[in-house]
Amino acid sequence: MIHCWVKQGGGQELNLPAAVKWTLRYGTDTPCDSFSLRCLWERGQERLLSDACRFFAEWEGKRVFTGVVDEFAVVCGRDGLYLELEGRGLAALLLDNEAMPAEYQRCTRADLVANHVAPYGIETVGGLALPAVSAFRVSSGESEWSVVRRYACYYGGVAPRFDREGRLVLDRHGDDKIVRIGEGDRVTAWEYREERHGVLSQVAVRRRTTWGTQWVSDPKFTAQGGCARRVITVPNTTGTTAMRYTADYQLRAARRGRVRLRLTAPGGFLAWPGELVEVELKDFGANGVYRAAQSEVSCGEDGLTTTLVLGERDAML
């Protein structure tokens, strides 16, 4: 059974009644993680959660969600009196806050965390291998999440994400664990989809006014008849390595939706986003190893189920 509680603005914690229906959604980018639940409520407590600002959930004694409370409603109808609660993961704090415009002569991981993450009470882990970036610019109107994502993805090849404890992770996904899904998992529904539109076969990164262009190609997509090139212009101060990172990122990001395999099976928390998933189903022509891009765990009328959205293992999911 899932155990949920909230923290109020003054720091007090309040345990919620047993949920009769709930959904936890996880991903590797935007939209960020989200949750929704319904639990029985008592009359006279309509404003009890007015100060609730944080949400936590545990499953079998382990934390499975840390997030921000966005909305609640106390509803009385033919189903009785119940509470509905919705919110997002802690990435919402970076998405909702606009960054102060700035120009860094040399931006390091420490600068990024101190100025764009730590002020919101978010703990950061990993990212020690991220390079220092020369002439890093924060534009007016840019969200804090955009700043973090651009720094990590463009210059470090890392997709930033939040773990179940609500910590920002700046390391690459580990491939030491492979989740296996086969006939024994009783897959109840699946959909395999491929999309070519938006996938790039070649990226050229050039400096604004000086010579020097980096070319990066996707030979696999080119061999499949793909023909889509993008030319990216960067400041003159951009180094050769950074240009290569930018081109590689554009190719990987463009492939994020190239392949999508959606599976639904009974049970909870079958895989987390970023994990490798090996699919081996009978008489299925798309068996292989994928990387989980999204995971949705739900409990309701159909019991406990997990829906996974899988993509190519080397794409920027």
Side-chain angles (χ1 to χ4, degrees), residues 260-303:
R260 280 290 188 262
L261 173 58
R262 185 183 183 93
L263 300 171
T264 299
F269 309 100
L270 301 183
W272 298 108
E275 290 185 330
L276 294 180
V277 178
E278 183 178 11
V279 179
E280 190 63 42
L281 301 177
K282 184 179 180 181
D283 299 326
F284 185 61
N287 287 327
V289 178
Y290 298 83
R291 193 177 299 277
Q294 299 172 26
S295 175
E296 179 177 301
V297 186
S298 299
C299 186
E301 297 177 354
D302 298 329

Side-chain angles (χ1 to χ4, degrees), residues 205-214 232-240 243:
V205 180
R206 59 180 291 273
R207 295 188 179 94
R208 191 175 303 278
T209 58
T210 61
W211 294 102
T213 302
Q214 284 276 355
I232 310 297
T233 302
V234 297
N236 294 334
T237 54
T238 305
T240 302
M243 292 172 66

Side-chain angles (χ1 to χ4, degrees), residues 183-247:
E183 291 301 319
D185 295 292
R186 307 190 309 279
V187 172
T188 58
W190 60 264
E191 176 187 290
Y192 180 80
R193 179 187 299 270
E194 291 193 18
E195 183 174 345
R196 296 174 66 89
H197 176 68
V199 182
L200 301 179
S201 59
Q202 188 178 61
V203 174
V205 180
R206 59 180 291 273
R207 295 188 179 94
R208 191 175 303 278
T209 58
T210 61
W211 294 102
T213 302
Q214 284 276 355
W215 295 86
V216 177
S217 301
D218 185 340
K220 181 179 178 180
F221 186 53
T222 301
Q224 294 172 334
C227 184
R229 185 180 71 187
R230 293 292 181 272
V231 179
I232 310 297
T233 302
V234 297
N236 294 334
T237 54
T238 305
T240 302
T241 302
M243 292 172 66
R244 180 80 184 186
Y245 273 137
T246 302

Side-chain angles (χ1 to χ4, degrees), residues 77-111:
R78 62 181 181 180
D79 294 332
L81 183 65
Y82 56 87
L83 168 74
E84 290 186 340
L85 191 67
E86 296 184 2
R88 296 167 291 165
L90 289 192
L93 297 176
L94 302 184
L95 284 163
D96 292 349
N97 282 279
E98 184 176 328
M100 289 292 293
E103 293 189 10
Y104 293 89
Q105 183 176 358
R106 184 174 181 271
C107 184
T108 65
R109 174 201 181 275
D111 296 326

Side-chain angles (χ1 to χ4, degrees), residues 2-317:
I2 195 167
H3 171 222
C4 303
W5 71 99
V6 296
K7 179 184 287 186
Q8 298 177 312
Q12 303 91 340
E13 293 187 350
L14 175 66
N15 289 319
L16 297 176
V20 297
K21 182 180 180 180
W22 54 268
T23 300
L24 303 179
R25 304 176 187 87
Y26 308 90
T28 53
D29 202 345
T30 52
C32 64
D33 300 346
S34 63
F35 71 89
S36 62
L37 79 156
R38 172 185 289 188
C39 54
L40 300 180
W41 206 237
E42 295 182 8
R43 186 179 295 273
Q45 298 186 130
E46 286 76 14
R47 294 187 176 181
L48 184 61
L49 297 188
S50 294
D51 294 337
C53 58
R54 296 290 182 269
F55 170 83
F56 308 92
E58 286 185 350
W59 177 262
E60 297 181 348
K62 294 183 179 180
R63 182 77 61 85
V64 292
F65 204 97
T66 302
V68 174
V69 176
D70 283 334
E71 178 183 357
F72 82 90
V74 178
V75 182
C76 183
R78 62 181 181 180
D79 294 332
L81 183 65
Y82 56 87
L83 168 74
E84 290 186 340
L85 191 67
E86 296 184 2
R88 296 167 291 165
L90 289 192
L93 297 176
L94 302 184
L95 284 163
D96 292 349
N97 282 279
E98 184 176 328
M100 289 292 293
E103 293 189 10
Y104 293 89
Q105 183 176 358
R106 184 174 181 271
C107 184
T108 65
R109 174 201 181 275
D111 296 326
L112 181 79
V113 172
N115 297 329
H116 303 284
V117 181
Y120 307 101
I122 297 172
E123 180 184 355
T124 303
V125 296
L128 299 180
L130 290 176
V133 180
S134 300
F136 184 75
R137 184 171 181 268
V138 178
S139 302
S140 177
E142 193 172 8
S143 71
E144 298 285 28
W145 173 251
S146 175
V147 175
V148 171
R149 187 180 185 280
R150 183 162 53 86
Y151 181 96
C153 289
Y154 272 52
Y155 301 101
V158 174
R161 61 201 183 278
F162 281 78
D163 64 12
R164 269 63 68 190
E165 299 285 343
R167 301 175 299 183
L168 175 65
V169 181
L170 294 178
D171 282 335
R172 292 179 180 270
H173 294 291
D175 293 343
D176 54 332
K177 176 184 177 182
I178 298 182
V179 178
R180 290 176 170 80
I181 294 181
E183 291 301 319
D185 295 292
R186 307 190 309 279
V187 172
T188 58
W190 60 264
E191 176 187 290
Y192 180 80
R193 179 187 299 270
E194 291 193 18
E195 183 174 345
R196 296 174 66 89
H197 176 68
V199 182
L200 301 179
S201 59
Q202 188 178 61
V203 174
V205 180
R206 59 180 291 273
R207 295 188 179 94
R208 191 175 303 278
T209 58
T210 61
W211 294 102
T213 302
Q214 284 276 355
W215 295 86
V216 177
S217 301
D218 185 340
K220 181 179 178 180
F221 186 53
T222 301
Q224 294 172 334
C227 184
R229 185 180 71 187
R230 293 292 181 272
V231 179
I232 310 297
T233 302
V234 297
N236 294 334
T237 54
T238 305
T240 302
T241 302
M243 292 172 66
R244 180 80 184 186
Y245 273 137
T246 302
D248 180 68
Y249 164 75
Q250 293 292 340
L251 281 182
R252 293 173 61 200
R255 290 205 313 274
R256 65 177 304 178
R258 174 76 171 97
V259 173
R260 280 290 188 262
L261 173 58
R262 185 183 183 93
L263 300 171
T264 299
F269 309 100
L270 301 183
W272 298 108
E275 290 185 330
L276 294 180
V277 178
E278 183 178 11
V279 179
E280 190 63 42
L281 301 177
K282 184 179 180 181
D283 299 326
F284 185 61
N287 287 327
V289 178
Y290 298 83
R291 193 177 299 277
Q294 299 172 26
S295 175
E296 179 177 301
V297 186
S298 299
C299 186
E301 297 177 354
D302 298 329
L304 182 63
T305 62
T306 298
T307 298
L308 298 176
V309 177
L310 311 177
E312 293 180 307
R313 62 182 297 173
D314 60 340
M316 182 70 74
L317 300 178

